[in-house]
Amino acid sequence: MRAVSALTDAATAEEIGAFWLERVLEPVSSAGRRARDARAPFAAGEAEAARAAIAEVVEAAASWDGHQVSRVGAALRALPDPLEALARASAGGTLADVDLYEVARLLDALEALRACAGQRPPERLGPASFEPLRERLAPGVRRGGAFYLDDAFAEGLAQARAAARADAEACARERSRLRESAAAVLGDAVTEEREFALARADLPAVVPAGVRTVREAGGYVVFELANDERTLAAMRARDDSAARVAELEERARERLSREIGAHAPALLAELRRAGEIDLLRGAVAFAQAHAATAPQIADHDDLAIDEARLLPLEETLAAHGRPYAPISLSLPGQAVITGPNMGGKSAALRTAGFVQLCAQWGLPVAARGAHLRLVERICWLGSAQGEERADREGLLSSFGGEIVRLAKVLREPHVPRLLLIDEFARATSPREGRALVVALLDALRERGELALAATHFHGVAEAAGVAHYAVIGLRRALSARSDGRRSLEEALRLIGESMDYRLAPAASLASAEGDAIQLARLLGLDERVTARAARELHES
Amino acid sequence: MTSAVDHLLASALAGGRRSIAVVGAGKDVGKTATTAALASAARRAGHTVAITSVGRDGEVHDVATNLPKPQLVLPAGTVVATAAALLPRSPASEVLELTPYRTALGRVVIVRLHAPTRIEIAGPNTASAMLELIASLRSFADVVLVDGAVDRIAATARGDDAIIVATGAALAPTLRGVVERTRALVDRLSLPGGAPPEAIAVDGALTPERAAELLARSDRARGVVLEDPLALQIPAQTAAALRRAGGLWCLRALHVAAVTVNAHGRERDVDPVALAEAVACATGLPTYDVYRNAAA
């Protein structure tokens, strides 16, 4: 999956854990990355296809053990990606030895994938066998997967190479003869490999016939060996036999390229399948690691999640040794979440978005159960994203930025979508802010939008006629343990231990008033300030 | 018969070293000829040789000047790491590994030659890729030869590599100029390790401005330690002043084993014997002329 897509923009992706999910599902092969890039989230109306995709992952997660997932991953990592070579062979081109090496390695890797995937992958992904082509290239495969254009690939190649070696040695002998002859007069400086220099003072009266002057300087002369007729004949023989070898080697490459070209469409299809297996491997590893379950997907139902987990947050809390409380809620169209600061209202929105995100990409969800409909877009609206402000280089206030983004979202053509509204209008006057939130929810209800809004404003849900959930919290426990100075880490631990992050219908809960002051005290705000605030709250 | 080039190879491999980096003090100073001579000497000594280059080398004509360049003709059995596009079609070579390192000419491939082959070499340009490539080449060969520009080689070399500096008449208009520039380069590359703990650590390049600040400090007697020799970017006189003040060291010291000279320049020649002797005297290093197959 891709974090940013038609389903989620960058701001939403950041808030609901899409970048985390993209990282977790990162394919290990080039073929997998291509398959990932070609894949789109399921859209509204594709419930059946999404259900099938999720069922495939759940089934594979149940039948593959961890060892098998690792082996498949290792086989995929070793998968070369000779797309260009296959395309060239397919078009009748002649491959180079490096291409042949890659194709041979591809065939070996596909065989390894076949061996470790066995009959376990879904039938549509069952790897095909290319044994005849693999056997054809086998003479060239050396220890460690190296490849050499073996004598066996062309008739007469072995003899031609032997002749070329003999002719090259004969030529070298002739050059050695020249060198030895010259060295007898000129000494150790003489070499058959390159030019050599001699100081004028060391030059004999007569320079031997076997060398010729390349250039002269004041103090020395640069020579090279001069080839005589015998040597030139040996060189001609060497060059002729090298040309014969080149011709036969090219003929072997042409023949192998034709055979590979004939298999190229099937090999390219197999690479695509391997890419799909890579995506399945990632999804299976994800499902197994997080005990993910298949959500129920319907065309007309709303969102309900049971003990859902926001995995990026769960991972972060675990890293700090803190527990994570799963979230349950039912969203019959529109709902409001209220509760204390740091009580997990925004996390509840994110969790709903994360569950929806997974299902849209054909993944099981990290929840005991979930019931949802597919949407075209998931939109995060609220305080945490600052896209509009950033775009306008600070010309808009945070409230202004929120309004611009909301107006844009509401102007978009009406498509099924999930709106996650986090503390909308919190930066304006409370009275007008509340009025705006009520009006917004009212409008969303009338439009039939799926929307979940977190807010501190009182009575919003009731005024807009939508469902109301509240974070349960544990205010008494927090109050009893909030005295004294503590480090921030200690305060966060205390809050974590004292807060009940679960959601419940708001009507069943007592008022959460006073939580903010207690949290402020626990987080180190001056006692005189918090005491004065408590008195003010009580008197008002 | 033991030739001067055999001695050059032996001095580079002394102490069990397995990698030799040939750095050119400038263009047309005989770097390719030195590399080819070392490859031949290693083969004569029974070593399996691997060759690569930081950047491009062994081309028929200089890509910058279009003038003829010495050819690198390597014997059968040599392992070569070069860009796939530079690999000759014939004679076929054994493809050992297609590396992930890219050059302007495509991915770098490691091959073993099955016949004497005329070849251009272009290895990766980054230090990290070159370090990994050298490690990979060591699994295929006894001796790894790397050539390239001095700064790039110095960035990849380690103390367990031997560095051979190739210098020549093309470096400066006069013999004295050639010798001075060669000595400055060798001095720079030979910055010692083993700094005392109290030495003042300098991050990044030691520029003349920073050197002046250090020399003005009251605690300059503590000495100065740099990350590596490449960080030394000050005139020789300033470096000498820092050495006198307290000492000058680096954390990643290199081992310069020898110098080779080329008396022939494109515009002028110098006396080969005088050049070799002057360079040997100035650097204190074994100095060889691979064209004369002679030591200074």
Side-chain angles (χ1 to χ4, degrees):
Chain A
M1 60 85 66
R2 282 294 199 187
V4 178
S5 69
L7 180 70
T8 44
D9 60 18
T12 304
E14 183 67 44
E15 295 298 333
I16 66 172
F19 287 106
W20 180 91
L21 190 61
E22 180 182 291
R23 196 173 64 250
V24 165
L25 297 173
E26 176 71 21
V28 296
S29 65
S30 298
R33 285 185 282 279
R34 265 198 308 281
R36 184 262 320 268
D37 293 345
R39 197 174 266 194
F42 291 104
E46 294 179 334
E48 193 177 329
R51 276 194 293 268
I54 293 169
E56 188 173 276
V57 175
V58 171
E59 196 178 315
S63 61
W64 291 10
D65 58 27
H67 180 59
Q68 192 171 17
V69 175
S70 300
R71 283 180 62 206
V72 169
L76 286 163
R77 276 187 199 92
L79 196 69
D81 196 34
L83 276 193
E84 196 195 319
L86 291 176
R88 221 168 338 120
S90 182
T94 303
L95 299 181
D97 294 356
V98 176
D99 302 320
L100 297 172
Y101 162 84
E102 277 226 285
V103 172
R105 285 198 54 228
L106 171 67
L107 295 171
D108 284 349
L110 288 174
E111 187 56 31
L113 186 60
R114 221 163 91 84
C116 65
Q119 299 305 310
R120 297 297 177 82
E123 198 175 334
R124 74 180 177 89
L125 300 180
S129 171
F130 291 89
E131 202 50 35
L133 184 59
R134 195 162 166 247
E135 279 177 15
R136 183 74 182 90
L137 290 172
V141 177
R142 299 290 193 266
R143 198 176 57 178
F147 183 86
Y148 178 59
L149 199 67
D150 191 80
D151 294 346
F153 287 130
E155 196 179 335
L157 181 55
Q159 295 86 336
R161 281 175 169 164
R165 272 193 300 276
D167 288 341
E169 284 164 9
C171 187
R173 278 196 301 275
E174 291 302 325
R175 293 278 293 174
S176 287
R177 176 181 57 79
L178 294 177
R179 187 191 65 76
E180 284 165 16
S181 167
V185 181
L186 300 175
D188 284 351
V190 179
T191 171
E192 67 261 41
E193 292 163 349
R194 58 185 177 277
E195 297 169 357
F196 55 92
L198 284 170
R200 285 191 185 278
D202 298 336
L203 284 179
V206 179
V207 174
V211 298
R212 68 180 183 85
T213 304
V214 177
R215 61 181 176 274
E216 293 191 58
Y220 68 98
V221 181
V222 178
F223 300 99
E224 67 179 6
L225 292 178
N227 296 314
D228 57 14
E229 268 312 310
R230 269 175 62 186
T231 312
L232 287 172
M235 288 172 82
R236 277 193 294 273
R238 179 198 65 187
D239 294 348
D240 287 348
S241 54
R244 174 70 180 148
V245 169
E247 184 188 329
L248 288 173
E249 286 180 343
E250 204 58 15
R251 198 177 294 170
R253 291 188 190 100
E254 285 166 4
R255 194 170 303 140
L256 290 172
S257 300
R258 273 198 302 276
E259 291 175 40
I260 291 167
H263 285 85
L267 280 168
L268 289 167
E270 195 59 20
L271 268 174
R272 282 193 292 276
R273 266 197 295 274
E276 291 293 323
I277 291 176
D278 197 352
L279 297 191
L280 180 65
R281 176 211 57 80
V284 165
F286 166 79
Q288 290 179 339
H290 303 291
T293 61
Q296 291 181 43
I297 300 177
D299 286 332
H300 303 294
D301 287 315
D302 302 325
L303 176 63
I305 53 179
D306 180 20
E307 297 198 6
R309 287 169 289 133
L310 179 58
L311 296 175
L313 178 60
E314 186 180 49
E315 189 177 270
T316 303
L317 290 173
H320 288 84
R322 291 170 56 191
Y324 176 81
I327 303 283
S328 300
L329 64 83
S330 175
L331 183 57
Q334 307 78 37
V336 167
I337 299 176
T338 58
N341 297 89
M342 304 186 72
K345 296 187 301 299
S346 299
L349 263 59
R350 292 189 178 98
T351 306
F354 186 68
V355 167
Q356 184 77 34
L357 176 78
C358 290
Q360 298 273 165
W361 282 98
L363 296 166
V365 300
R368 181 196 286 269
H371 197 102
L372 53 89
R373 67 174 174 178
L374 295 180
V375 296
E376 296 290 331
R377 290 195 60 195
I378 305 173
C379 298
W380 181 271
L381 296 164
S383 56
Q385 60 78 32
E387 190 180 46
E388 296 295 341
R389 272 171 291 157
D391 287 348
R392 290 170 190 275
E393 297 172 332
L395 293 178
L396 287 168
S397 67
S398 57
F399 175 70
E402 276 187 317
I403 295 297
V404 168
R405 182 165 161 83
L406 174 64
K408 185 178 159 197
V409 168
L410 292 182
R411 272 199 306 271
E412 286 172 0
H414 186 52
V415 293
R417 60 189 172 185
L418 171 61
L419 300 178
L420 302 168
I421 306 164
D422 190 31
E423 298 195 35
F424 178 66
R426 73 171 181 177
T428 188
S429 79
R431 198 154 165 265
E432 288 184 67
R434 178 185 177 281
L436 278 169
V437 175
V438 170
L440 172 60
L441 286 168
D442 206 35
L444 295 177
R445 182 173 51 74
E446 280 182 9
R447 291 161 61 116
E449 299 266 17
L450 193 59
L452 187 58
T455 184
H456 281 291
F457 295 133
H458 282 288
V460 166
E462 293 73 16
V466 301
H468 184 186
Y469 288 88
V471 176
I472 292 175
L474 267 181
R475 290 172 295 281
R476 279 190 297 273
L478 183 60
S479 173
R481 303 168 68 172
S482 60
D483 53 333
R485 284 183 175 274
R486 295 178 179 84
S487 68
L488 180 61
E489 185 63 27
E490 173 72 1
L492 290 173
R493 191 184 61 75
L494 266 179
I495 293 168
E497 286 174 359
S498 306
M499 194 74 76
D500 186 341
Y501 294 96
R502 290 175 301 160
L503 297 175
S508 64
L509 299 173
S511 166
E513 206 163 61
D515 280 354
I517 295 171
Q518 291 183 58
L519 279 165
R521 183 180 297 143
L522 188 65
L523 290 169
L525 188 63
D526 191 309
E527 182 63 27
R528 286 168 298 186
V529 176
T530 53
R532 174 73 182 90
R535 282 201 304 280
E536 178 65 24
L537 181 68
H538 180 69
E539 287 163 10
S540 65
Chain B
M1 182 182 65
T2 305
S3 73
V5 177
D6 296 327
H7 281 296
L8 171 64
L9 177 74
S11 59
L13 298 181
R17 289 186 165 79
R18 290 184 54 201
S19 300
I20 304 171
V22 181
V23 305
K27 286 185 78 66
D28 302 323
V29 292
K31 180 161 60 69
T32 303
T34 299
T35 305
L38 283 167
S40 297
R43 191 178 79 253
R44 282 197 298 274
H47 297 302
T48 316
V49 182
I51 299 186
T52 191
S53 165
V54 184
R56 191 171 180 175
D57 217 326
E59 65 270 29
V60 178
H61 292 87
D62 188 301
V63 291
T65 63
N66 205 34
L67 291 167
K69 295 272 289 177
Q71 291 284 289
L72 210 47
V73 181
L74 298 170
T78 307
V79 173
V80 179
T82 189
L86 295 178
L87 208 57
R89 301 279 284 200
S90 190
S93 48
E94 181 181 346
V95 181
L96 300 173
E97 189 181 325
L98 186 58
T99 74
Y101 318 122
R102 293 193 175 274
T103 71
L105 295 161
R107 278 167 74 178
V108 173
V109 61
I110 301 175
V111 300
R112 180 180 287 118
L113 306 181
H114 277 229
T117 305
R118 188 181 307 274
I119 197 164
E120 275 188 61
I121 302 180
N125 276 319
T126 67
S128 59
M130 183 51 78
L131 283 172
E132 289 173 12
L133 181 62
I134 290 170
S136 190
L137 289 174
R138 280 179 172 168
S139 67
F140 296 116
D142 306 325
V143 175
V144 179
L145 291 173
V146 186
D147 76 6
V150 62
D151 283 352
R152 288 177 175 176
I153 285 283
T156 60
R158 295 291 179 267
D160 55 355
D161 301 323
I163 290 182
I164 292 175
V165 174
T167 189
L171 200 60
T174 62
L175 188 144
R176 187 177 164 193
V178 172
V179 173
E180 283 306 311
R181 288 188 60 179
T182 305
R183 175 164 59 188
L185 174 62
V186 169
D187 279 354
R188 183 182 176 208
L189 294 176
S190 305
L191 202 58
E198 68 273 15
I200 303 164
V202 173
D203 291 332
L206 178 59
T207 58
E209 292 78 12
R210 296 181 79 177
E213 287 168 19
L214 289 163
L215 284 167
R217 285 172 62 151
S218 58
D219 62 347
R220 59 185 176 276
R222 286 163 58 193
V224 173
V225 60
L226 311 179
E227 183 65 31
D228 59 44
L230 286 180
L232 190 64
Q233 293 178 11
I234 53 176
Q237 284 174 328
T238 315
L242 282 169
R243 283 193 185 94
R244 284 195 302 274
L248 189 56
W249 300 271
C250 70
L251 296 175
R252 185 170 63 79
L254 305 177
H255 171 68
V256 183
V259 181
T260 63
V261 295
N262 175 13
H264 173 64
R266 288 209 188 282
E267 293 174 8
R268 68 190 62 76
D269 298 317
V270 294
D271 181 281
V273 178
L275 174 64
E277 286 176 353
V279 167
C281 181
T283 62
L285 289 171
T287 302
Y288 300 88
D289 182 339
V290 297
Y291 296 89
R292 291 191 301 123
N293 195 12

